Amino acid sequence: QVQLVESGGGLVQAGGSLRLSCAASGRTLGTSAMGWFRQAPGKEREFVAAIRWSGGATYYADSVKGRFTLSRDYAKKTVYLQMNSLKPVDTAVYYCAVGSPQRIGISASYGDWGQGTQVTVSS
C-alpha cells in the first residue's frame, strides 16, 4: 500500500499558476504510475495527467496539454503538477493516485489515492 499526501492547492485568479505536490510513502513505486485526477462539483472524476515512475514518461488530458506539466523527484518519491494559465473550468478537487501503468488514464487502474486538494480559479 502507498500513502499519498497532496499539497499546494488554493485560490488563484484566471491566468495564474499553482504547483501541486504529491508525496508518496510506503511500498516502493517500482513500475507504477502516479496520476492526477480532478473532480468538480456535480461532475465525474476525470484524468488530468500521469507519469510512469520507471522511465518518467508523461501523459496529459487534452484539456490541460500545454498548460500543465508533470515532473517527479525520484529520491523524494514526489510528483509535482505545475499548472499555468489556469481557467475557471480547472476548479476542482485534485487527487493524486498510484496504480498500474496499464490504461494510465483510467481511474479504475489506480488503487491508492490521496485525500485531495482544492483548486479554485476565479474569473
Side-chain angles (χ1 to χ4, degrees):
Q1 190 174 7
V2 178
Q3 291 76 46
L4 301 167
V5 178
E6 302 110 328
S7 61
L11 173 64
V12 65
Q13 288 188 331
S17 299
L18 284 174
R19 189 177 81 154
L20 305 184
S21 300
C22 176
S25 62
R27 66 168 175 83
T28 58
L29 295 176
T31 58
S32 298
M34 288 188 74
W36 285 95
F37 291 77
R38 66 187 182 186
Q39 188 166 19
K43 295 189 177 181
E44 293 187 353
R45 189 170 296 186
E46 64 173 0
F47 171 73
V48 176
I51 186 167
R52 291 180 182 268
W53 194 251
S54 175
T58 53
Y59 306 83
Y60 299 94
D62 288 343
S63 59
V64 306
K65 278 181 183 176
R67 300 189 297 123
F68 290 11
T69 303
L70 194 55
S71 61
R72 66 185 167 112
D73 185 319
Y74 196 90
K76 294 183 178 179
K77 293 172 68 176
T78 299
V79 295
Y80 304 97
L81 183 66
Q82 178 66 44
M83 305 186 296
N84 298 328
S85 302
L86 283 161
K87 306 174 183 179
V89 296
D90 295 317
T91 296
V93 177
Y94 284 69
Y95 297 91
C96 176
V98 169
S100 168
Q102 305 297 321
R103 304 177 74 202
I104 204 166
I106 306 299
S107 61
S109 297
Y110 296 79
D112 296 296
W113 292 81
Q115 80 286 356
T117 186
Q118 177 71 46
V119 171
T120 302
V121 184
S122 63
S123 56

